[in-house]
């Protein structure tokens, strides 16, 4: 009897569950001009991956094609950009739509990697530091292409969070430590500088020459605040 009730309830939930539990996501990507990159989409339904479905992917309103998702709800499309810029990605699936960014760098462009947790959330009680970060990054964004790194858990940083925090919009990548920098290098991207936790600086050491942290570190330069970072990166 209990088992029968369980399956009836499950059927009801399947029919009446809100569409908010479903959706599509497109991941931000970074590459260099002429370097191929795999664009990634993900579909979910009732909180679980929805595989075997087709997602339409667009780049700056131009259709790139359809992507068939696998059992994990993820699908990929290989793309080789021919021009630099920060381009808009849009994924459409059923009645859902999501957007992301594709940052394509020229060989002489400088990128600054900023760890969200280590540089912008590590001092939650220090309001002055957080506000200083927004102003500093706005200044730095005029000279560098910004690349944010979010928590390995992911999906916590998006356009709304960046806007609410007063931060410049930029691509957001998953922080996988040294693997992140190896991945960038494999796509022709070698960041000019990185700012984040001492742990991130250790991971970045073989790949990035200029490394900064607000923490004590043996793998880079410790700066006391955001204005000091702006000064350290001055031309």
């Amino acid at each position: 009897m209990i088992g029968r009730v369980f399956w009836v309830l499950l059927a009801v939930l399947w029919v009446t569950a809100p569409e908010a539990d479903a959706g599509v996501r497109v991941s931000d990507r970074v590459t260099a001009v002429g370097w191929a990159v795999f664009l990634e989409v993900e579909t979910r339904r009732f909180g679980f991956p929805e595989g075997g479905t087709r997602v339409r992917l667009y780049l700056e309103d131009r259709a790139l094609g359809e992507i068939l998702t696998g059992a994990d709800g993820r699908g990929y499309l290989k793309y080789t950009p021919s021009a630099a810029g920060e381009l808009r990605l849009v994924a459409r699936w059923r009645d859902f739509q999501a957007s992301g960014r594709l940052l394509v760098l020229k060989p002489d462009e400088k990128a600054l990697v900023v760890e969200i947790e280590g540089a912008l959330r590590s001092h939650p009680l220090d309001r002055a530091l957080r506000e200083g970060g927004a102003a500093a990054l706005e200044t730095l964004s005029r000279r560098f292409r910004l690349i944010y790194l979010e928590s390995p858990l992911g999906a916590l940083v998006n356009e709304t969070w960046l806007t609410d925090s007063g931060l410049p919009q930029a691509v957001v990548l998953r922080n996988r430590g040294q693997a992140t920098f190896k991945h960038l290098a494999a796509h022709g991207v070698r960041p000019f500088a990185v700012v984040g936790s001492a742990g991130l600086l250790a991971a970045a050491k073989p790949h990035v020459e200029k490394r900064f942290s607000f923490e004590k570190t043996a793998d880079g330069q410790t700066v006391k605040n955001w204005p000091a970072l702006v000064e350290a990166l001055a031309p």
Side-chain angles (χ1 to χ4, degrees):
M1 180 67 180
I2 294 177
R4 187 176 180 182
V5 171
F6 170 78
W7 287 112
V8 170
L9 289 174
L10 184 61
V12 171
L13 287 172
W14 180 262
V15 174
T16 62
E19 288 296 327
D21 290 336
V24 62
R25 182 177 67 88
V26 56
S27 299
D28 288 359
R29 285 290 184 263
V30 179
T31 192
V33 175
W35 291 69
V37 64
F38 283 94
L39 306 177
E40 179 187 349
V41 299
E42 181 182 6
T43 52
R44 300 184 73 83
R45 192 163 182 249
F46 303 113
F48 296 97
E50 176 84 349
T53 189
R54 295 186 180 276
V55 178
R56 289 166 292 158
L57 189 62
Y58 300 82
L59 181 66
E60 296 292 329
D61 297 324
R62 177 169 63 90
L64 291 182
E66 285 191 341
I67 302 175
L68 179 64
T69 60
D72 60 355
R74 296 180 180 181
Y76 304 89
L77 186 147
K78 188 178 182 179
Y79 176 74
T80 303
S82 58
E86 189 172 290
L87 310 173
R88 194 74 168 173
L89 291 166
V90 174
R92 292 174 183 158
W93 172 59
R94 295 182 179 174
D95 295 328
F96 304 103
Q97 177 172 304
S99 61
R101 287 181 168 85
L102 170 62
L103 175 61
V104 184
L105 296 172
K106 294 182 289 188
D108 59 344
E109 276 191 291
K110 295 179 179 179
L112 171 63
V113 175
V114 181
E115 184 186 21
I116 296 295
E117 300 298 328
L120 294 166
R121 283 179 173 164
S122 57
H123 304 275
L125 301 180
D126 191 341
R127 183 176 179 182
L129 178 59
R130 296 201 309 275
E131 292 179 348
L137 288 174
E138 185 63 42
T139 298
L140 291 169
S141 68
R142 298 171 196 146
R143 295 185 46 236
F144 301 98
R145 287 289 195 175
L146 300 181
I147 300 173
Y148 295 120
L149 295 186
E150 68 173 346
S151 163
L153 296 176
L156 300 177
V157 177
N158 53 33
E159 283 190 17
T160 301
W161 185 87
L162 292 173
T163 300
D164 291 346
S165 302
L167 298 170
Q169 296 290 331
V171 293
V172 180
L173 303 181
R174 197 75 56 85
N175 182 2
R176 294 189 172 92
Q178 189 170 128
T180 298
F181 297 98
K182 287 182 178 179
H183 185 78
L184 289 172
H187 291 81
V189 177
R190 186 178 179 87
F192 179 79
V194 58
V195 54
S197 64
L200 182 68
L201 266 57
K205 192 172 182 178
H207 308 278
V208 185
E209 182 178 349
K210 296 182 180 294
R211 303 174 302 277
F212 303 91
S213 180
F214 299 117
E215 305 172 0
K216 290 183 178 180
T217 175
D219 297 299
Q221 179 180 341
T222 300
V223 289
K224 64 180 180 179
N225 52 32
W226 284 100
L229 175 66
V230 173
E231 184 178 349
L233 287 171

